[in-house]
């Protein structure tokens, strides 16, 4: 009975998308951008395997034909017009097959949604978030700090140095706009499962788009480590739109009171 209870707790609290021991490859994609990154990686890996097989075959044939024991009299190959044409044309064609999908992915990553449903501002100092869409003349916007839980104070099911006291709650299957800026030194808001890495540069605001396609808890970290305690953790929790509305309403009520 105790084992079942612990399994239930860990399934609800433990990371849905975080690095695992002996992990090979990227985390499961949570956004179309990350899915495109994974697909591009697999496509490039396919071409790498073809190149590896082709070059290995050429190397083995060269070792065979010019080995002193198997062929005491080496073959007198002076020119190979056909192979020279092939090895000149194919290396120029392969980058074209890689460049076309990579350019499409690059442009889609840089494109910011014109009319996003929600705008969230992330200020880098471990981290400070502001839901700017809920501003009005009568109340302040929804703001909160998000600090990493110390390694000696985690709750049951929480991963060491991966959990925060206040998660960034976003609705699933909704277009979001993230505005990232620092409060002191350079930071970088990065969530691998979402395929997002947006630098926070002093004196300017950068923005990126996110559209989480499934519910879950996604873990990231600041990719600009600039001193003690600057490897701050980022946790994004994607919930259904109905649950998101109730959470935001409760937070606004608590903040106004």
């Amino acid at each position: 009975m105790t084992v079942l209870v612990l399994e239930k707790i860990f399934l609800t609290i433990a990371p849905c998308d975080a690095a695992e021991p002996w992990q090979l490859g990227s985390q499961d994609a949570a956004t179309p951008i990350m899915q495109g990154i994974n697909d591009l990686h697999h496509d490039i890996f396919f071409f790498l395997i073809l190149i590896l097989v082709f070059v290995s075959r050429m190397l083995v044939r060269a070792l065979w034909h010019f080995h002193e024991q198997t062929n005491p009299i080496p073959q007198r190959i002076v020119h190979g017009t056909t192979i020279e044409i092939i090895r000149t044309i194919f290396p120029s064609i392969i980058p074209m097959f890689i460049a076309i999908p990579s350019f499409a992915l690059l442009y889609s990553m840089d494109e910011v949604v014109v009319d996003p449903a929600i705008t969230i501002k992330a200020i880098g100092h471990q981290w400070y978030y502001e839901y700017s869409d809920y501003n009005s003349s009568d109340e302040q916007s929804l703001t909160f700090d998000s600090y990493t839980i110390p390694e000696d104070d985690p709750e049951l099911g929480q991963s060491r140095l991966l959990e925060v006291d206040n998660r960034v709650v976003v609705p699933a299957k909704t277009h979001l706009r993230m505005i990232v800026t620092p409060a002191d030194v350079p930071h970088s808001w990065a969530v691998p499962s979402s395929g997002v890495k947006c630098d926070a540069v002093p004196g300017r605001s950068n923005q990126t788009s996110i559209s989480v396609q499934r519910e879950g808890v996604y873990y990231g970290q600041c990719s600009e480590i600039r001193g003690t305690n600057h490897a701050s953790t980022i946790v994004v929790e994607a919930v259904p739109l109905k649950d998101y509305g109730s959470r935001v309403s409760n937070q606004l009520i608590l903040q106004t009171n």
Side-chain angles (χ1 to χ4, degrees):
M1 184 67 181
T2 306
V3 176
L4 294 177
V5 173
L6 289 176
E7 288 182 355
K8 184 177 181 181
I9 292 175
F10 274 88
L11 287 175
T12 55
I13 301 179
C16 294
D17 289 87
E20 300 176 359
W22 300 97
Q23 177 179 337
L24 294 177
S26 303
Q27 301 175 15
D28 294 337
T31 63
I33 294 297
M34 190 59 196
Q35 186 62 51
I37 294 174
N38 288 339
D39 293 340
L40 180 63
H41 171 268
H42 298 333
D43 294 340
I44 295 177
F45 202 77
F46 170 76
F47 288 109
L48 290 178
I49 293 177
L50 292 182
I51 296 172
L52 175 64
V53 172
F54 180 73
V55 174
S56 299
R57 184 177 183 275
M58 293 181 61
L59 178 60
V60 171
R61 282 180 60 86
L63 293 175
W64 171 261
H65 286 295
F66 293 93
H67 194 272
E68 61 179 357
Q69 295 181 356
T70 56
N71 290 295
I73 301 176
Q75 294 189 9
R76 299 183 180 277
I77 301 176
V78 180
H79 292 290
T81 305
T82 303
I83 191 63
E84 289 184 4
I85 293 175
I86 292 175
R87 74 182 186 186
T88 303
I89 294 178
F90 270 83
S92 62
I93 294 178
I94 291 176
M96 294 178 59
F97 282 100
I98 297 176
I100 293 174
S102 64
F103 286 157
L105 179 63
L106 182 62
Y107 282 118
S108 63
M109 292 175 64
D110 289 339
E111 183 179 358
V112 179
V113 179
V114 177
D115 189 18
I118 300 172
T119 299
I120 302 175
K121 187 175 183 180
I123 302 174
H125 70 95
Q126 296 191 5
W127 282 80
Y128 178 80
Y129 294 96
E130 177 181 336
Y131 287 69
S132 305
D133 294 327
Y134 308 110
N135 283 340
S136 68
S137 57
D138 299 327
E139 61 185 10
Q140 299 292 328
S141 61
L142 178 58
T143 59
F144 60 91
D145 285 298
S146 181
Y147 289 96
T148 305
I149 294 179
E151 56 181 327
D152 57 348
D153 194 27
E155 297 181 0
L156 181 62
Q158 292 181 344
S159 298
R160 171 181 172 271
L161 297 179
L162 277 182
E163 193 57 68
V164 295
D165 53 358
N166 292 312
R167 294 175 174 176
V168 182
V169 180
V170 300
K173 299 181 180 180
T174 304
H175 290 288
L176 312 173
R177 176 172 59 189
M178 293 293 304
I179 299 177
V180 183
T181 187
D184 38 29
V185 297
H187 295 268
S188 185
W189 199 86
V191 181
S193 297
S194 301
V196 174
K197 182 180 181 298
C198 188
D199 294 333
V201 182
R204 63 175 298 175
S205 295
N206 294 331
Q207 60 180 348
T208 184
S209 297
I210 303 176
S211 180
V212 183
Q213 297 299 303
R214 55 187 174 85
E215 303 167 14
V217 181
Y218 308 104
Y219 291 80
Q221 282 186 316
C222 177
S223 297
E224 288 286 345
I225 303 176
R226 297 280 181 163
T228 306
N229 296 327
H230 275 217
S232 49
T233 303
I234 301 166
V235 182
V236 177
E237 182 178 357
V239 298
L241 185 59
K242 181 179 179 181
D243 295 343
Y244 171 79
S246 61
R247 288 198 185 190
V248 169
S249 300
N250 295 334
Q251 288 292 331
L252 287 173
I253 292 174
L254 292 175
Q255 187 165 306
T256 54
N257 292 336

